Amino acid sequence: MNNDTIKQYLEYLKLSGIQDIFINPKKQINKAELLQELEKKYCNCKKCELHTGRHKFVYGNGNADARLMIIGEGPGAEENRLGKVFVGRSGQLLTKMLNAINLSREEIYISNIVKCRPPGNRNPLPEEKKACLPYLDEQISIIQPELILLVGKVAAVTLLEIDQTLKAFRERTYTFRGIKTYVSYHPSALLRNPHWKKFAWIDLQKLQKDYLAL
Ligand code: URA
C-alpha cells in the first residue's frame, strides 16, 4: 500500500465517522537486548544449591544472532569469578580451536548446561541440571541457531538423552530441537589428553563444512 492509498483510506474512515485509530507497530525483537534482560532477571537464581558457591551467574556470551551455538557443561573458577563463559584455560583453547576454522567468538554464542559453578568442577547433579535447563532452552529459542556443537559428554548426555561414550557420540550428528547438532570433546578433556586433539580437529572440520554451507 502506498502513502496516497493510506491517506485516502484514512479520509474514508474519517468521513465514515471514525475519529481514532490505534496503531500497534510491531516491535522488532532485539535478541541481544532480550538476552540481557533475561540475564538480569535470572542472575540471583536460587533454584538449586549451586547458588551458594556462586560469585557470578554465568549466563552465556556471544552473538545473539549467531548461526552456531556451543554448549558446554558449567562454569569453572575463572568463569565464576568473571561472569563470562569459557574464559579460563579451556576457554582459551576453545577460542584457538574456533579460530583454526576461521570462526571468532564474536560470531557465535556460547552457553552451558548449568549457569553456576559446581564445587570443585564436579559434574552437575540431575536436580541442578533440571533447575537450570529452562534457561538454556530459552536461550536456544531466542537465538535459533542453525548448528549446535555440544562439547563434552555432560552436555551431550543431558541434551540428547543418550547414555554412551563420547567416542560413540562423535560418530554421527543429531537433530536437537530441529537443529543439526554435533558432539565433540570438551576443551578441558583436550588439555588433559592432548593426543585427542587430532580427533577434535576432524570434528571441527566437519562443522566448518556445514557452517560454510549455511
Ligand atoms: N567449562 C565449561 O563447560 N564451561 C565453561 O564456561 C568453562 C569451562
Side-chain angles (χ1 to χ4, degrees):
M1 224 189 260
N2 64 30
N3 282 350
D4 284 344
T5 324
I6 295 169
K7 239 190 235 165
Q8 263 178 4
Y9 182 60
L10 290 174
E11 274 307 314
Y12 164 78
L13 289 178
K14 206 166 155 189
L15 288 170
S16 323
I18 294 168
Q19 299 296 326
D20 303 302
I21 57 165
F22 296 96
I23 297 169
N24 181 9
K26 261 201 194 147
K27 195 172 173 256
Q28 179 92 28
I29 311 173
N30 180 326
K31 293 183 182 185
E33 277 175 20
L34 184 54
L35 289 171
Q36 252 173 32
E37 276 170 29
L38 292 171
E39 179 174 3
K40 243 191 244 162
K41 181 171 157 194
Y42 304 138
C43 68
N44 296 313
C45 173
K46 293 195 169 87
K47 287 202 290 174
C48 82
E49 281 307 300
L50 291 183
H51 80 273
T52 57
R54 177 175 66 217
H55 179 60
K56 291 253 171 85
F57 181 82
V58 183
Y59 184 58
N61 299 103
N63 187 341
D65 294 302
R67 306 181 88 176
L68 167 66
M69 187 162 169
I70 297 183
I71 302 173
E73 181 178 323
E78 203 55 8
E79 289 77 19
N80 184 38
R81 193 172 75 79
L82 298 171
K84 294 203 182 309
V85 281
F86 279 102
V87 285
R89 272 187 74 220
S90 62
Q92 285 160 19
L93 177 58
L94 181 63
T95 306
K96 280 189 198 154
M97 287 159 59
L98 291 170
N99 293 166
I101 53 164
N102 291 325
L103 279 174
S104 68
R105 300 254 315 219
E106 289 71 38
E107 204 172 331
I108 62 165
Y109 192 88
I110 311 182
S111 191
N112 282 312
I113 297 289
V114 292
K115 316 297 193 210
C116 297
R117 184 191 182 204
N121 296 341
R122 65 154 167 76
N123 287 353
L125 301 173
E127 61 270 24
E128 295 162 352
K129 293 194 283 186
K130 191 166 174 238
C132 215
L133 277 176
Y135 300 147
L136 180 64
D137 257 346
E138 197 176 44
Q139 287 173 310
I140 297 170
S141 307
I142 294 168
I143 296 162
Q144 294 184 313
E146 287 156 271
L147 291 173
I148 291 179
L149 170 64
L150 305 176
V151 288
K153 194 176 159 184
V154 169
V157 171
T158 307
L159 296 183
L160 302 176
E161 297 181 289
I162 308 169
D163 198 357
Q164 59 183 5
T165 61
L166 195 92
K167 186 169 177 284
F169 269 122
R170 290 180 52 246
E171 278 166 13
R172 50 171 283 231
T173 57
Y174 303 82
T175 303
F176 172 67
R177 306 260 237 97
I179 303 162
K180 187 166 186 183
T181 299
Y182 278 92
V183 179
S184 189
Y185 293 98
H186 192 286
S188 65
L190 296 176
L191 288 172
R192 288 192 303 271
N193 305 281
H195 59 287
W196 289 347
K197 283 186 187 169
K198 54 181 178 289
F199 305 120
W201 177 237
I202 295 171
D203 301 340
L204 285 174
Q205 282 178 307
K206 286 186 194 156
L207 179 70
Q208 182 188 32
K209 196 163 163 252
D210 275 346
Y211 189 82
L212 289 173
L214 288 176

